Amino acid sequence: MKWDVNNITDQSGKVVIITGANTGLGFETAKALMQKNAHVVIACRNKTKGEAAIKKLLDANPSGHIEFASLDLSDLDSVKQFAQAFKKNHQRLDILINNAGVMVPPYSKTNNGFEQQMGVNHLGHFALTGLLLDMLRQTPKSRIVNLSSLAHWAGKINFTDLNWEKRWYNKWRAYGDSKLANLYFTYALQKRIANSSNNPIVTVAHPGWSATDLQRNHALSNFFNRFIAQKPAMGALPTLYAAVSDDIRGNDFIGPNGLFQVRGYPKKVQSNKRSRNNTIAEKFWDLSEQLTGISYKNT
């Protein structure tokens, strides 16, 4: 089955948050859902880029419903301010798409002292989801979609040096760690809420190899993009499938159906064995709560 945007049903009345939707996969995800009449909130750090993305989307679809909201996932205060403002201005949240991310930048830390990739790709979204979970619960049939990557195969959480302060910094390993963290988060959250009523479905997706601005820090990736990568619109399909398809269940992992899941149309796939280790997932959950100060005690 070649599932694409034409399979998306009307999304009228639904409110969707997409982090990092000013470019790449997030932009294409916003475009598709906006065309199906969802109200889309583009949540990103750069207001100028966010508003430019909105203008581009509205030029293509003048009747669409879309708005910008400031969100810096590297700053937990910004995450809290975003959640407070969203709750004030909206009555429901149907789909939360934790899309934003950074990929193999030079070593740096977030405002809260976390290694940049773990801080933005996981901990910022962990905090955001926790702060919005009550609104997701109030919205029938809501969903959470986390974005992982094939790079999770290279991940292995080092609990004694999460911020790479004692080791030589390997930016690819750190990226893999953050993408493995997205899977631990998905599986641990779904486990916590699976037996409760009025809870969202928690899913995860990966785009295969897609040519996006995320790869700006790596020349080799940019070189191979011209030979291997699929366009962002194709890379966004696993996210969209996870967000709207009727056959999605909690913990489903969606990726491309091609060879080695590098490219193709979306299908259900399997993450690696390490990502499904419940003992590590629970330990990492506890650490994530400790580091962010966000407790899911009511889940």
Side-chain angles (χ1 to χ4, degrees):
M1 179 189 72
K2 293 184 177 181
W3 190 98
D4 62 18
V5 294
N6 294 313
N7 295 95
I8 301 175
T9 58
D10 182 63
Q11 301 292 303
S12 294
K14 291 188 177 182
V15 177
V16 184
I17 293 174
I18 309 173
T19 66
N22 58 295
T23 187
L25 302 175
F27 179 87
E28 294 296 335
T29 303
K31 179 180 179 181
L33 293 174
M34 180 180 166
Q35 288 176 339
K36 297 296 181 176
N37 302 312
H39 181 97
V40 178
V41 179
I42 286 183
C44 61
R45 180 177 58 181
N46 190 306
K47 183 178 180 180
T48 300
K49 291 182 178 180
E51 291 180 343
I54 287 175
K55 182 180 185 304
K56 188 176 180 180
L57 289 166
L58 287 175
D59 285 345
N61 184 6
S63 62
H65 301 284
I66 193 163
E67 65 177 282
F68 167 81
S70 179
L71 172 63
D72 183 353
L73 289 160
S74 69
D75 184 344
L76 293 179
D77 286 338
S78 174
V79 174
K80 293 173 183 176
Q81 291 165 10
F82 170 86
Q84 290 170 354
F86 180 84
K87 290 178 180 180
K88 180 179 179 181
N89 296 323
H90 296 275
Q91 302 301 313
R92 63 186 296 132
L93 175 55
D94 295 86
I95 308 170
L96 171 61
I97 300 178
N98 290 321
N99 164 83
V102 291
M103 179 179 176
V104 297
Y107 182 76
S108 61
K109 290 184 176 181
T110 69
N111 288 5
N112 303 98
F114 310 137
E115 184 273 326
Q116 187 76 12
Q117 296 185 92
M118 184 63 73
V120 171
N121 298 354
H122 168 62
L123 292 169
H125 283 125
F126 181 93
L128 177 67
T129 305
L131 292 167
L132 294 173
L133 189 57
D134 56 346
M135 181 166 276
L136 286 157
R137 281 174 156 162
Q138 293 167 15
T139 308
K141 299 181 179 180
S142 62
R143 292 190 190 181
I144 299 166
V145 183
N146 296 319
L147 267 289
S148 185
S149 165
L150 288 171
H152 82 271
W153 285 82
K156 185 178 181 180
I157 304 299
N158 186 316
F159 286 94
T160 63
D161 189 25
L162 192 69
N163 295 316
W164 294 82
E165 295 168 329
K166 303 172 185 177
R167 296 170 288 166
W168 171 75
Y169 185 59
N170 185 321
K171 58 188 178 182
W172 279 105
R173 275 287 307 278
Y175 180 66
D177 290 351
S178 72
K179 296 290 98 180
L180 178 61
N182 297 144
L183 288 158
Y184 285 144
F185 175 42
T186 300
Y187 300 152
L189 179 55
Q190 180 62 38
K191 177 184 175 183
R192 279 166 167 73
I193 66 179
N195 296 321
S196 303
S197 60
N198 302 321
N199 273 309
I201 291 173
V202 190
T203 68
V204 60
H206 82 82
W209 191 323
S210 300
T212 72
D213 188 52
L214 191 65
Q215 297 153 339
R216 62 185 177 274
N217 293 304
H218 198 256
L220 189 61
S221 292
N222 283 318
F223 174 77
F224 280 110
N225 276 350
R226 70 188 74 176
F227 306 110
I228 300 173
Q230 54 187 358
K231 294 181 179 180
M234 280 294 294
L237 290 180
T239 300
L240 289 163
Y241 188 92
V244 304
S245 182
D246 289 337
D247 69 340
I248 290 294
R249 302 294 180 265
N251 281 347
D252 278 350
F253 188 22
I254 310 301
N257 66 357
L259 185 66
F260 302 122
Q261 301 174 29
V262 170
R263 52 191 296 138
Y265 292 89
K267 72 169 186 176
K268 295 184 181 183
V269 297
Q270 283 289 326
S271 61
N272 69 0
K273 184 177 179 180
R274 179 177 288 143
S275 71
R276 290 177 274 118
N277 186 310
N278 290 331
T279 301
I280 297 176
E282 288 301 316
K283 182 177 179 180
F284 191 61
W285 180 282
D286 292 341
L287 179 60
S288 298
E289 284 197 338
Q290 176 187 335
L291 291 173
T292 62
I294 302 298
S295 173
Y296 284 68
K297 62 183 178 181
N298 295 322
T299 61

